[in-house]
Amino acid sequence: MSKELKVALFCSGGMSSSLVGSKLQKVYTKEDKDIKVDAYDFGMLDEVGSKLDVIIIAPQISWAYDQVKKDYPNAKVIKLTMQEFGSMSGEVVAKRLEKEGI
């Protein structure tokens, strides 16, 4: 049995990402995938980043993408587009992650 995949969504305040994160979790739960999705304010990255398999960056903090990739080489770092994030759809984000091999 494979270990649970830990995914976290980060945005500048944590509010919109928690909405998208919970919708993404619903998609994975419905598909019976062993994936745990959390959402955080970007300021929490230092605290939780090393425990994550996938770090998703919301568009409002896309400026941090290169630094996050450098700081967390063991995690897959994905930067969402404004359209993907703005859709507020778990399915849209899950499709993007699938394209990235998740």
Side-chain angles (χ1 to χ4, degrees):
M1 176 148 171
S2 62
K3 74 176 187 77
E4 177 182 70
L5 197 67
K6 292 187 181 352
V7 176
L9 197 59
F10 292 88
C11 74
S12 56
M15 297 302 178
S16 48
S17 61
S18 61
L19 183 61
V20 175
S22 67
K23 290 182 176 184
L24 181 59
Q25 183 67 69
K26 283 185 182 132
V27 170
Y28 289 141
T29 302
K30 196 168 76 185
E31 293 176 355
D32 207 27
K33 290 189 174 169
D34 200 8
I35 299 176
K36 172 82 172 95
V37 181
D38 287 305
Y40 300 97
D41 170 88
F42 185 60
M44 293 289 293
L45 183 60
D46 287 345
E47 213 170 297
V48 297
S50 60
K51 301 176 195 116
L52 300 171
D53 300 303
V54 181
I55 296 172
I56 305 172
I57 307 265
Q60 63 269 51
I61 56 166
S62 61
W63 52 266
Y65 176 77
D66 291 332
Q67 188 63 46
V68 172
K69 270 185 82 77
K70 198 176 101 194
D71 291 348
Y72 299 95
N74 297 328
K76 181 136 182 107
V77 181
I78 298 167
K79 179 170 53 172
L80 293 180
T81 66
M82 196 52 108
Q83 288 79 6
E84 289 163 340
F85 190 76
S87 72
M88 291 287 154
S89 162
E91 286 83 7
V92 168
V93 177
K95 276 192 182 86
R96 169 66 192 282
L97 267 57
E98 205 174 296
K99 274 187 207 152
E100 299 281 350
I102 289 133

